[in-house]
Amino acid sequence: MAWLKKLKLYLQSLGPGFIIASVVLGPGSITVSSRMGSEHGYAFLWVIILAAISMYIYTSMGARFGTTSNDSILQSIAGNYGRWFSAIIGISAFMAASSFQFGNNLGVGIAMQGITGIDERIWPLIFTPSAIVLLFWAKNLYKVLEKLMMFLVMIMILAFLFNLLLTKPAVSDIAGGFIPRSFSFDSLDIIAALVGTTFVLHAALYQSYLAQNKGWKVTDMKKGLRDSYTGIFMLALISILIIVTSATALHPLGITVNSAADMAMQLESLFGSYAKIIFSIGLCAAAFSSLMVNAVMGGGLLSDGLGLGRTMNDKMPKVFTTIALLLGMVIAVFFRGDVIYALILAQASSILAVPLIAFGMFLILNNRKVMGRLKNNPWQNFLAVFGFVLISLMVYLMYSRIIGYLQSL
């Protein structure tokens, strides 16, 4: 049939967008979405839309740069604004990626324990070495990641959709959640949490590298922007599925979810063990995809920021990626007693990544010498500034909490 042929060609043209969605959709975003729905119902679904729009504008900026330049975005930043600036962005992006790796390893362990019953601390020792083997022995890592991440994202959608169908939510209640009726200054931390787990700037920055590795040129720009849209749509869809499931099944009972494991256990108590297994499969797909790609992004951006290589065919990106993978594994397995302190320090060290990456992308995409007629237009700049304000608010609130926590130690 003609439409099936068109769908097949469309899916074959995708790739980078699914990689971006897979790194953002980790255990942290699933936990935040689960807690949001259980505690506040459908009230903050509208925040996902705002965060997704912000993520799309920066991801599309990355894709637009990648299709118009032969240099990488950090090479271009180094050439136009100084190596020191690209180095700081690369270091900050690596720290931001590394700070998420513990959660990714923990998510893999929790999910596999839910599926097999085997202790969660065993699984990082299996999945992390598997990721390192894939990193060094895959002949074309980007093509492997495209196929693998597309597969894992589809597993996530099917798993979380299955759990949603069990809850039988009211469509009218869901629709009401997309209207911002619940905004207040007291809820800014809630909004920041959702924005922070959906709008991940080092992933948006890396979209330019993925577009270049896909071989896209200016003539492929529409394809690149369509790919970005599809990936961010999938990202928003899965977050919405999880919030709605939690809001429908748990919020009316007054049950508050504090982790993705809590969500799985509560679904088991309501719908039986198969619901827990299905949710755990979705969580495992999210955790492993984020564990692998997040480390690749962090290692690649650090190496390129320092001028030591930009692709996974080079030595140093692989070395830095391996370091990020091992850091997450070690913290998850061997330093369980100091987990909170380790996470606090990691978040504190990565706090500069958000404004620096946004500022660097904004500068280079508005540089006429680099982008020519394809530089940001006023509407794109308006949305970029809007997204920057949203993410800066998240940084401010996170920074305040980190300072308060360290003072209480």
Side-chain angles (χ1 to χ4, degrees):
M1 296 175 68
W3 69 271
L4 281 176
K5 185 177 181 180
K6 288 182 179 179
L7 178 61
K8 182 179 179 180
L9 290 173
Y10 176 72
L11 291 175
Q12 288 176 343
S13 71
L14 300 177
F18 277 85
I19 294 178
I20 296 300
S22 67
V23 73
V24 176
L25 283 163
S29 59
I30 292 175
T31 297
V32 169
S33 298
S34 300
R35 183 183 178 99
M36 203 63 57
S38 68
E39 190 170 352
H40 301 280
Y42 309 104
F44 290 98
L45 284 173
W46 58 273
V47 178
I48 293 292
I49 303 302
L50 293 182
I53 290 172
S54 299
M55 183 63 178
Y56 171 72
I57 192 63
Y58 276 91
T59 302
S60 64
M61 284 164 61
R64 191 150 39 90
F65 180 92
T67 58
T68 58
S69 177
N70 293 322
D71 291 332
S72 73
I73 193 166
L74 287 182
Q75 286 174 342
S76 187
I77 288 173
N80 286 275
Y81 306 108
R83 174 60 65 186
W84 66 271
F85 190 26
S86 71
I88 292 175
I89 292 176
I91 293 169
S92 299
F94 178 79
M95 296 306 297
S98 297
S99 71
F100 297 138
Q101 284 302 98
F102 161 73
N104 294 331
N105 278 274
L106 187 63
V108 165
I110 291 171
M112 290 305 297
Q113 181 173 323
I115 297 169
T116 66
I118 298 174
D119 190 284
E120 64 187 55
R121 286 173 290 184
I122 299 298
W123 295 105
L125 295 172
I126 297 173
F127 278 85
T128 295
S130 299
I132 294 173
V133 169
L134 182 63
L135 173 68
F136 279 93
W137 274 273
K139 290 184 178 179
N140 191 325
L141 183 64
Y142 292 106
K143 284 190 176 180
V144 173
L145 288 179
E146 277 186 12
K147 295 181 183 298
L148 180 60
M149 296 310 123
M150 193 175 294
F151 174 71
L152 292 177
V153 168
M154 297 311 297
I155 285 180
M156 283 185 254
I157 291 175
L158 292 174
F160 298 137
L161 180 60
F162 178 82
N163 283 285
L164 175 65
L165 294 176
L166 288 175
T167 64
K168 299 178 181 178
V171 176
S172 59
D173 292 338
I174 297 173
F178 291 103
I179 300 173
R181 300 168 178 166
S182 305
F183 177 80
S184 69
F185 286 103
D186 293 334
S187 61
L188 284 178
D189 60 334
I190 300 168
I191 294 171
L194 271 180
V195 170
T197 55
T198 305
F199 183 18
V200 180
L201 270 167
H202 72 274
L205 178 69
Y206 204 74
Q207 179 77 348
S208 64
Y209 293 82
L210 295 172
Q212 289 174 334
N213 282 286
K214 188 78 172 176
W216 287 340
K217 302 300 180 183
V218 175
T219 53
D220 301 303
M221 186 171 298
K222 286 185 178 180
K223 187 187 297 184
L225 295 177
R226 184 177 60 202
D227 173 81
S228 298
Y229 172 79
T230 303
I232 303 308
F233 174 79
M234 295 295 181
L235 163 64
L237 175 63
I238 294 175
S239 297
I240 289 169
L241 289 176
I242 296 169
I243 291 175
V244 172
T245 299
S246 187
T248 306
L250 306 181
H251 182 65
L253 302 178
I255 298 172
T256 299
V257 170
N258 292 304
S259 70
D262 287 348
M263 179 71 162
M265 287 188 291
Q266 296 301 337
L267 288 176
E268 180 182 26
S269 67
L270 292 171
F271 306 119
S273 59
Y274 63 92
K276 177 183 178 181
I277 291 173
I278 294 295
F279 186 87
S280 296
I281 290 172
L283 176 60
C284 185
F288 181 69
S289 64
S290 187
L291 179 148
M292 179 68 196
V293 182
N294 183 64
V296 167
M297 289 181 179
L301 290 172
L302 173 59
S303 179
D304 194 34
L306 297 174
L308 300 176
R310 55 182 282 194
T311 75
M312 287 300 139
N313 295 322
D314 298 318
K315 177 183 177 181
M316 292 312 296
K318 289 183 178 181
V319 171
F320 290 135
T321 298
T322 301
I323 291 172
L325 285 166
L326 292 175
L327 278 174
M329 183 191 73
V330 168
I331 294 174
V333 175
F334 299 107
F335 297 105
R336 185 168 286 280
D338 297 321
V339 162
I340 294 177
Y341 184 66
L343 284 174
I344 290 294
L345 288 181
Q347 287 179 326
S349 64
S350 67
I351 207 73
L352 288 175
V354 170
L356 279 173
I357 292 172
F359 187 56
M361 291 185 73
F362 188 85
L363 282 177
I364 207 69
L365 266 295
N366 279 284
N367 189 320
R368 185 176 293 276
K369 184 176 70 174
V370 175
M371 297 300 298
R373 62 181 180 83
L374 296 174
K375 76 180 189 71
N376 275 9
N377 60 39
W379 179 241
Q380 289 165 334
N381 278 334
F382 172 78
L383 290 176
V385 171
F386 173 77
F388 179 76
V389 171
L390 270 183
I391 205 70
S392 295
L393 176 63
M394 184 274 291
V395 169
Y396 171 76
L397 292 171
M398 185 187 297
Y399 181 77
S400 299
R401 288 189 173 190
I402 289 171
I403 294 300
Y405 181 84
L406 292 177
Q407 288 176 343
S408 68
L409 293 177

